[in-house]
Amino acid sequence: MESAIEKALPQGRTASRRQSLATHLSHHKWLYLFLVPGFLYLFVFKYIPMVGIVIAFQDFSLVRGITGSEWVGFDNFAYLFESRDFYNVLRNSLVLSVYQIVWGFPAPIVLALMLNEVRHMLFKRVSQTVLYLPHFISWVVLAGMIINFLSPSTGPVNAVVKGLGYEPVAFLLKPEYFRTILVSAEVWKGVGWGTIIYLAAMASIDPTLYESARIDGAGRFRQIRHITLPGIAPTIVVLLILSVGNILDNGFEQVFLLYNPMTYEVADVFETFTYRIGLIDGRMSFAAAVGLFKAVVGLVLIVSANRLARLFGKQIW
């Protein structure tokens, strides 16, 4: 009798779980229905193309296709690590990414803190609108603006330089200026949009905490340090993890539209390098090996950053 009851218990628990799951799905069916387009997008455009990773281990030929191309194993990766261009591209990608994190990551936090302290609502709304607008400018348009702005002959920057008695400078042809120009443009373009996330996180902080702090005599800076920053700390950590995971992603458009053979030494990154060797030179297997290497490094970095954030996040804040 007891053994029969014990055998029936797992089945009863399974049936209960199935019933609760069915109830949950019926109550939230519209929410799950809204997830379907997102999952379809990820499946069609992110997961299915992963089948093409196999060409990184082949001497791929468009005529023979994936199934008919010769298998070469890790030869493409061996050639990649022996190439001098690879280390130059790796250095450029890391330097640009570090610059973007150092200057671009704290910028929206500081801007959000400043906007959060503004009490004049009309000024605050106008400022937010002006700061958000650059996000909607495409890199094609922005690159044209930068080229015209820094033009040695007609650019306003060189007009000021000539007005001071100096010779005009071709900024976009000088390797020493390229990284500063690119990072500055990216920060200017994205800082306003990034503040939306932090302002939303600040809006979820309990206002009574600020009231209690003011009663205890805390000023603005102490409220920011002890209430606002700890309140948005989880958001900061998540975005930092994503930034670290994408440390080798510098974007294709902004670099491709602004760089030139004179600045290859400091401007060539994985995206432009893959474009040249894959589409221009037709070495698709080698380009796939570069892309796979970048993806694996990004995965390792994002997992490591996530674990470090879990281990030290509470100690930091």
Side-chain angles (χ1 to χ4, degrees):
M1 184 69 178
E2 292 180 359
S3 60
I5 294 174
E6 291 175 355
K7 292 179 180 179
L9 281 176
Q11 297 178 358
R13 290 175 181 173
T14 303
S16 177
R17 289 175 181 173
R18 289 177 180 174
Q19 185 177 1
S20 63
L21 178 61
T23 304
H24 176 79
L25 292 176
S26 64
H27 286 169
H28 302 88
K29 58 183 178 181
W30 294 111
L31 293 177
Y32 286 105
L33 187 62
F34 284 129
L35 292 175
V36 171
F39 280 120
L40 287 176
Y41 169 79
L42 290 174
F43 181 72
V44 173
F45 294 102
K46 301 296 182 180
Y47 286 95
I48 292 180
M50 289 178 68
V51 177
I53 290 175
V54 70
I55 70 174
F57 305 94
Q58 295 178 328
D59 183 11
F60 179 72
S61 170
L62 287 174
V63 178
R64 296 192 297 268
I66 293 179
T67 56
S69 297
E70 181 184 356
W71 187 267
V72 296
F74 291 95
D75 288 356
N76 290 317
F77 295 92
Y79 180 79
L80 172 66
F81 297 133
E82 292 172 358
S83 173
R84 189 175 68 177
D85 292 336
F86 166 74
Y87 293 100
N88 182 52
V89 169
L90 178 62
R91 184 184 70 251
N92 293 337
S93 299
L94 289 174
V95 170
L96 282 174
S97 295
V98 170
Y99 283 176
Q100 291 169 11
I101 291 176
V102 170
W103 297 105
F105 185 77
I109 301 175
V110 175
L111 185 59
L113 291 172
M114 295 171 64
L115 289 173
N116 192 52
E117 296 299 320
V118 175
R119 294 295 175 259
H120 195 287
M121 295 307 298
L122 179 60
F123 177 78
K124 183 176 182 179
R125 290 172 182 173
V126 172
S127 300
Q128 288 176 318
T129 303
V130 172
L131 291 168
Y132 298 161
L133 285 178
H135 173 77
F136 300 99
I137 301 175
S138 70
W139 270 109
V140 176
V141 176
L142 183 57
M145 293 170 59
I146 294 173
I147 292 171
N148 290 326
F149 197 72
L150 300 177
S151 171
S153 56
T154 61
V157 174
N158 274 298
V160 175
V161 173
K162 288 186 286 187
L164 295 174
Y166 296 97
E167 292 294 324
V169 180
F171 290 99
L172 291 176
L173 298 179
K174 302 286 185 179
E176 59 268 26
Y177 294 123
F178 180 83
R179 290 170 179 168
T180 302
I181 295 170
L182 180 65
V183 174
S184 300
E186 290 190 343
V187 172
W188 177 77
K189 188 176 188 298
V191 66
W193 185 256
T195 58
I196 295 176
I197 300 174
Y198 295 109
L199 286 173
M202 293 175 189
S204 64
I205 299 174
D206 189 356
T208 58
L209 295 175
Y210 293 103
E211 295 176 5
S212 302
R214 283 193 293 269
I215 293 172
D216 291 338
R220 289 293 183 188
F221 288 102
R222 294 192 65 183
Q223 291 178 35
I224 292 173
R225 178 182 177 186
H226 297 288
I227 299 176
T228 307
L229 287 177
I232 64 173
T235 304
I236 294 175
V237 170
V238 170
L239 294 179
L240 181 60
I241 290 171
L242 295 176
S243 299
V244 172
N246 296 323
I247 198 168
L248 294 182
D249 293 333
N250 300 104
F252 173 76
E253 285 183 325
Q254 52 267 49
V255 179
F256 180 76
L257 293 169
L258 292 176
Y259 84 153
N260 55 75
M262 297 291 291
T263 58
Y264 277 174
E265 182 183 356
V266 297
D268 200 17
V269 294
F270 278 111
E271 288 81 2
T272 55
F273 182 62
T274 305
Y275 165 77
R276 288 205 314 277
I277 62 176
L279 295 181
I280 304 301
D281 297 343
R283 300 161 62 189
M284 295 186 180
S285 293
F286 186 55
V290 175
L292 182 57
F293 166 79
K294 190 178 73 168
V296 171
V297 172
L299 176 63
V300 172
L301 288 173
I302 200 168
V303 171
S304 302
N306 186 34
R307 294 194 174 183
L308 287 174
R310 289 182 178 180
L311 289 174
F312 301 108
K314 293 183 179 180
Q315 297 179 15
I316 295 172
W317 299 101

